[in-house]
Amino acid sequence: PRFPPGALAGGVSRGRMFAQPPRMQVVMSPPRMAGEQLAVASNVRRALATPGCAQQPQAPAPAVLAKPKAAAKSAPVAAGPGSDIAAFLKEAGLQMYTAALLNSGFDDMETLEEISDIDLQEIGVLPHHAKLLRRKFMLLQDAGEAQEAADKVNPVARFLDDNGFSQYVATFLDAGFDDMETLLLIDDQDIKDLGVRPGHMVKLKKRLREYELHVGAQEEVLPGWAPSHRQTSAPKTLPAALLANSGLSAIEESWEKVQAHGANTVGALLYKNFFALAPEAMDLFPASVRRKYSEWTIDEESLQVLQSGALRKLFGKVVNAVGCTVAGFQDMGKLVPMLERLGARHGTYGVEEHLYALLGQALDRTLKELLGEPYYAQVQHNWTLVYAFMSAVMLEGQRQVLVERARRESDDSQKSDPGARRTPQASSASSERG
């Protein structure tokens, strides 16, 4: 007799099957489900176990193939193991095979995608249904590859994925944080509203600071220009006094307390203290500059500099630069070039050298307000050393780019007027104006 593959799985061995009278036959239609095959096998076992079967063979009752129950068409997909399989098969119109596939161990999409033709045949999937299943897999794979490609193109998705925040990609993009410029302006409340866990929030803010400073440092200040490390006065190592007596540990510990207030909050204190010391520096922040960091509902043209909310975010970038300096002490080979480029950019903005010292005083006042009594004594001295190192490296980058710009201006002038000869005094004046 001919038995479907499932009959053997039901407990009938080939040896026992052929030891019975050869005239006994089971007439049945091709089974649709593994459960139906098991029912047929059960009927066969009962027939073989009947006393006197060898002398008076009796045909078993015709096997009635059960159709998929109507409930399988409308039953909701329950959450839990295999729910994604059930949902996938239901969408494909193949829900009649859900139980058989799950019982056979194909209870997740990764395993189901690897199912072989032999497995499908033994489970009882009809040939045209097997082709449909393969086609659905191809469509699913194409959709996944398209989404992956879109994520790779989107810089925010790529940034989040590279830093271990893949679970938040869809949330951030749906909330409108779909480019890095917008993401860099995100504040603590936005991050909380998006459901980011507290620990992830700390890590995300740190990665954003590092990204912002890295991109800013790599930004081309002058075409083809890079900081030169030959004959430079910029320090390459930290002061010995800072390395002694756990100076770095004290700096890192105090900086964690500052960060707890948020970059924008600290930035607001910093710019107020800075403008109190250097009111002339307000001219460096016209409405056209502040507009880049303001809320879209606020008209910066109608506001005074000290009333601008955009300066909180702008000086928050200064705070982030200080934080990246503290975090970068472990890799001076990357920190020094980064600070040199950052200083070079500020040189092209028209920042004068004396403002660096005033900004250091403003930072000192800000840290006093935030840290209170613990800031005094040795911690304050260590912070003075940190800022002195940071500003010295930035100033070196600023001086280099101004000299290079003056040289290029001189070359362009001579090319346009070959008869012109610029005096050293003129070149020096051009450099000072830069």
Side-chain angles (χ1 to χ4, degrees):
R2 298 173 59 86
F3 294 96
L8 295 178
V12 182
S13 66
R14 291 182 180 272
R16 182 178 178 183
M17 179 174 65
F18 288 105
Q20 305 305 319
R23 293 184 179 182
M24 185 182 69
Q25 296 183 355
V26 177
V27 181
M28 58 177 289
S29 301
R32 295 186 181 180
M33 299 178 59
E36 298 166 1
Q37 296 172 347
L38 296 178
V40 172
S42 179
N43 292 337
V44 172
R45 286 197 300 272
R46 285 196 299 269
L48 295 175
T50 303
C53 180
Q55 292 74 20
Q56 299 178 354
Q58 299 179 2
V64 179
L65 298 179
K67 297 182 179 180
K69 296 181 180 181
K73 298 182 180 180
S74 57
V77 178
S83 60
D84 54 342
I85 296 293
F88 171 75
L89 293 174
K90 183 177 181 180
E91 183 180 355
L94 301 173
Q95 63 270 21
M96 70 286 294
Y97 300 113
T98 300
L101 288 168
L102 294 179
N103 292 335
S104 299
F106 297 98
D107 52 3
D108 61 74
M109 292 300 296
E110 183 178 2
T111 306
L112 184 60
E113 288 181 9
E114 299 296 329
I115 193 170
S116 66
D117 292 338
I118 295 177
D119 291 330
L120 290 172
Q121 184 178 3
E122 290 184 350
I123 289 173
V125 178
L126 299 178
H128 66 283
H129 284 165
K131 290 181 180 179
L132 175 60
L133 185 64
R134 298 291 188 199
R135 188 161 58 249
K136 290 295 183 181
F137 281 145
M138 292 179 63
L139 293 175
L140 187 65
Q141 184 178 8
D142 291 343
E145 291 176 352
Q147 183 61 46
E148 183 178 355
D151 288 348
K152 289 182 178 179
V153 171
N154 185 280
V156 172
R158 185 167 59 249
F159 170 82
L160 294 174
D161 186 60
D162 290 345
N163 288 283
F165 301 114
S166 302
Q167 66 270 40
Y168 301 118
V169 169
T171 304
F172 274 70
L173 297 182
D174 292 343
F177 294 98
D178 52 4
D179 61 76
M180 288 306 299
E181 185 177 359
T182 305
L183 184 61
L184 289 172
L185 297 177
I186 196 170
D187 57 28
D188 293 357
Q189 189 59 49
D190 291 331
I191 298 176
K192 291 179 181 178
D193 291 343
L194 290 174
V196 178
R197 296 177 181 177
H200 290 172
M201 179 176 176
V202 173
K203 181 181 177 182
L204 176 62
K205 290 165 63 178
K206 180 180 179 181
R207 295 291 179 263
L208 284 173
R209 287 197 307 271
E210 293 172 351
Y211 173 88
E212 182 176 17
L213 215 60
H214 174 74
V215 171
Q218 297 300 320
E219 189 176 295
E220 196 172 48
V221 182
L222 289 177
W225 177 85
S228 173
H229 301 296
R230 300 176 183 176
Q231 300 178 351
T232 175
S233 60
K236 298 296 185 297
T237 59
L238 294 174
L242 187 59
L243 298 174
N245 300 322
S246 302
L248 283 181
S249 298
I251 289 294
E252 292 170 352
E253 182 179 349
S254 61
W255 185 247
E256 289 181 1
K257 296 177 181 178
V258 172
Q259 283 183 305
H261 295 276
N264 292 343
T265 300
V266 181
L269 286 174
L270 181 60
Y271 87 74
K272 291 176 181 177
N273 287 325
F274 178 61
F275 289 143
L277 294 168
E280 69 278 10
M282 294 183 190
D283 295 337
L284 295 171
F285 304 97
S288 58
V289 172
R290 303 196 308 269
R291 195 178 301 116
K292 294 171 57 178
Y293 305 95
S294 65
E295 301 292 340
W296 67 273
T297 56
I298 298 176
D299 181 14
E300 286 291 334
E301 298 285 353
S302 62
L303 297 176
Q304 298 294 325
V305 174
L306 292 177
Q307 298 173 332
S308 173
L311 286 179
R312 295 172 64 252
K313 294 182 178 180
L314 201 156
F315 273 77
K317 292 178 175 289
V318 178
V319 174
N320 288 340
V322 176
C324 286
T325 301
V326 174
F329 285 147
Q330 307 301 327
D331 192 348
M332 299 295 289
K334 293 181 179 179
L335 178 61
V336 171
M338 179 183 69
L339 291 176
E340 285 179 334
R341 286 185 177 272
L342 188 62
R345 286 174 55 207
H346 284 76
T348 62
Y349 298 156
V351 176
E352 298 180 3
E353 291 192 10
H354 76 279
L355 293 177
Y356 280 83
L358 295 175
L359 181 61
Q361 295 177 33
L363 178 62
D364 180 66
R365 291 185 181 184
T366 302
L367 293 174
K368 287 178 182 178
E369 293 181 40
L370 295 173
L371 298 175
E373 188 64 29
Y375 177 67
Y376 295 95
Q378 190 62 33
V379 177
Q380 182 181 19
H381 176 67
N382 289 340
W383 269 109
T384 302
L385 295 176
V386 168
Y387 184 78
F389 169 83
M390 176 181 173
S391 59
V393 178
M394 291 180 64
L395 277 170
E396 179 61 28
Q398 177 169 325
R399 290 164 185 158
Q400 286 189 33
V401 79
L402 293 180
V403 170
E404 176 65 15
R405 187 169 67 176
R407 184 190 67 78
R408 294 188 183 190
E409 289 176 354
S410 176
D411 291 345
D412 292 342
S413 177
Q414 291 183 20
K415 289 178 182 179
S416 61
D417 185 4
R421 289 291 183 268
R422 301 185 66 188
T423 64
Q425 292 81 2
S427 297
S428 176
S430 175
S431 176
E432 291 176 1
R433 285 196 301 271

